Amino acid sequence: MENAGYFFAAFALIWALLFGYVLILINRQKQLRHALDSLKARLEESEKGKETKRGARQADGAAI
Amino acid sequence: MKERIAQRSNILPGISFVMMMVALYLVFIYVPTAQGMGIMVQKVFYFHVPLAWLSYLAFTIVLVCSGLYLWRREAKWDIIARSSAEVGVVFTALVLITGSIWAKSAWGYWWTWDARLTSTLVLWLIYVAYLMVRSFAVEEDRGARFAAVFGIAGFFSVPLSALAITLWRTQHPPPVIFEGGLAPEMLFAMLFCVVTFTALYIQLLTQRISLRQIETEIDQISQNLSYQGG
């Protein structure tokens, strides 16, 4: 087992780096999906709010 | 495009994992150990060489997609180029690290300013700079254009690194793969590792592209919200 230490160090580093990179990508994806969902919810709320305002304005116009 | 990417991202990790396990079996158990390159540590070569080839492929894709972006001005080419550069940088970092570990074992030192090693380090630094240029750009469109020009100009370092061992006298071992220098079992294991790392590259690239697509979607929704005063 000549140079076994270097051999295992090289393999450990390859897997550690690749695994670390994949973990970073997965975490980032989770964070972004969460951010995207909350933004979509905000967008929906804001569109609903707009519709409600428009409806109220139309009702006011009809009353006048 | 999104659906196709989502389907692939479900299958590819499994395929890559199984292939990785088979590759490990081939490298550790199946192939004989070559004499004269540092008895045990020479097995690093089955990962070092495919990683180097795949990093050249990744940077070639950066070149092609950068050219397509400048020609067509479609955001998807910029996304693919940027994603491929990132995976290429990770692979090149692994090439430098594994090469350095092998050098310590075979030559007795971690690093030497040899043509192959230096040109590979320069290659890595160029694409790290590319990613920094792309990340720090204030205007998205201008950043994409500047990065595309950088991606094309920086490609000169790929053939320089790949041909360094034939252009100059270096300490780096000469190419043996296509010159009959490998036993059939070794050649089979090497080619299998190339295919395995290609699958891993495609998987990482797909994952990075889908991340970038989510980022783009978030930017668009944020802009819509800011226009609406939400």
Side-chain angles (χ1 to χ4, degrees), chain A residues 10-31:
Chain A
F11 274 93
L13 271 170
I14 290 175
W15 300 121
L17 265 174
L18 281 177
F19 193 65
Y21 181 60
V22 171
L23 272 184
I24 289 169
L25 288 183
I26 290 171
N27 275 340
R28 182 100 182 102
Q29 198 156 11
K30 269 186 195 165
Q31 284 173 355

Side-chain angles (χ1 to χ4, degrees), chain B residues 182-202:
Chain B
L182 286 183
E185 300 97 324
M186 291 173 147
L187 185 63
F188 172 71
M190 168 59 68
L191 294 177
F192 189 85
C193 286
V194 171
V195 176
T196 302
F197 277 97
T198 308
L200 181 71
Y201 165 74
I202 295 169

